Structures are given as structure tokens and as C-alpha cells.
């Protein structure tokens, strides 16, 4: 059996942006309970970017404690994953929100539907979230 392979910076970045993998975001609620949910994302330099509903659990939790973790995995053998930790900033800037909502819609639903998702998610009541990456643990071919 071969040893598990640590991914390099370039490898984990390529891995998380491959196809339409969602990431599972973990935040801590104000009462200390964990909250994990899958959602769409893209990388922008050293930030992981996504949108969320301004009054939802993710937004409320990130306002209380901006630290979060994100896991992106390949659920097919030989299995790989990247666990990303960081601190989130929240923005209501509608121009930026609409831009990134289009980028996200294009990644997950196709370029022909990007503007549809910009119109749906780039509106007041939504937030742009940037998780600034502080630590990454990433392994490839876990079951090899």
C-alpha cells in the first residue's frame, strides 16, 4: 500500500476548483453548537469566496465568530480531500456580490446560466463571504 500523498499548494488549489465539487462549511453558532452545510465556492487568490443569505445560520454565526473551516472532498476512490481553515469577512457590496454570484452560477450551473444566478443571488439580503485561507491540510489518494 502506498503512502498517503500530501498535496502541494498548486495541487490542492487545482483539486478544489476541479469540476463542481461543493465544499462543506463548518461554523460555530453563538451557543457553541457546530453547523455544517454544503455550498458553492470559488477561489480568488488566498480567499475562498461564496455567498449566503444575510439572516441565515452561516451569516449569523460568522458575524459572531468569523473563524470557519471548509472541507472539499472527492467521494470516489482513491479519495482525496482538502480541509481549509480561515477567517471570514462579510460584505453587502452589491456590485461585488453580483459579480461573484455570476462567477459561482457559471461554475456550478454553466456559463449560460451565470447571469440568472447573479440576478437571483446578487441582491440585497445576500452577503458576499471571503474566507481568508490561514491553513490547509490536503491529501490525495487516501485509499491507495
Amino acid at each position: 500500500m502506498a503512502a498517503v500523498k500530501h498535496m502541494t499548494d498548486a495541487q490542492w488549489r487545482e483539486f478544489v476548483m476541479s469540476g463542481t465539487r461543493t465544499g462543506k462549511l463548518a461554523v460555530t453558532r453563538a451557543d457553541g453548537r457546530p453547523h455544517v452545510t454544503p455550498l458553492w465556492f470559488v477561489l480568488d487568490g488566498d480567499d475562498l469566496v461564496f455567498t449566503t443569505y444575510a439572516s441565515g445560520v452561516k451569516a449569523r454565526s460568522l458575524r459572531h465568530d468569523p473563524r470557519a473551516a471548509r472541507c472539499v472532498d472527492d467521494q470516489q476512490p482513491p479519495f482525496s480531500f482538502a480541509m481549509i481553515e480561515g477567517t471570514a469577512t462579510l460584505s453587502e457590496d452589491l456590485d461585488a456580490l453580483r459579480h461573484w454570484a455570476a462567477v459561482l452560477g457559471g461554475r456550478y450551473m454553466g456559463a449560460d446560466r451565470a447571469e440568472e444566478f447573479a440576478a437571483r443571488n446578487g441582491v440585497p439580503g445576500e452577503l458576499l463571504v471571503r474566507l481568508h485561507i490561514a491553513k490547509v491540510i490536503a491529501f490525495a489518494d487516501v485509499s491507495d
Side-chain angles (χ1 to χ4, degrees):
M1 180 178 269
V4 175
K5 301 174 203 152
H6 288 270
M7 288 189 212
T8 65
D9 185 75
Q11 288 170 327
W12 76 257
R13 287 172 184 276
E14 180 180 337
F15 171 77
V16 302
M17 288 300 295
S18 175
T20 57
R21 289 189 177 106
T22 59
K24 287 72 173 177
L25 181 74
V27 295
T28 304
R29 299 174 198 230
D31 66 4
R33 291 180 298 142
H35 177 76
V36 177
T37 186
L39 49 86
W40 297 354
F41 72 94
V42 293
L43 283 176
D44 182 33
D46 287 334
D47 290 342
L48 203 144
V49 179
F50 59 96
T51 62
T52 193
Y53 190 60
S55 63
V57 173
K58 290 183 294 294
R60 288 193 319 267
S61 297
L62 290 169
R63 280 189 193 101
H64 173 75
D65 183 347
R67 296 173 299 168
R70 182 98 184 224
C71 184
V72 180
D73 65 332
D74 180 0
Q75 298 180 8
Q76 301 296 318
F79 306 107
S80 299
F81 73 91
M83 198 277 293
I84 301 163
E85 297 177 3
T87 303
T89 57
L90 309 175
S91 171
E92 295 179 356
D93 179 311
L94 288 177
D95 290 335
L97 181 60
R98 185 170 177 81
H99 167 79
W100 288 106
V103 171
L104 291 160
R107 176 179 182 193
Y108 288 92
M109 298 303 296
D112 60 323
R113 296 191 65 195
E115 285 306 311
E116 173 189 345
F117 281 86
R120 186 184 96 171
N121 296 338
V123 297
E126 293 283 326
L127 293 174
L128 178 65
V129 182
R130 287 184 163 275
L131 183 66
H132 186 70
I133 300 166
K135 181 178 182 179
V136 176
I137 299 169
F139 293 100
D141 305 330
V142 175
S143 66
D144 259 0

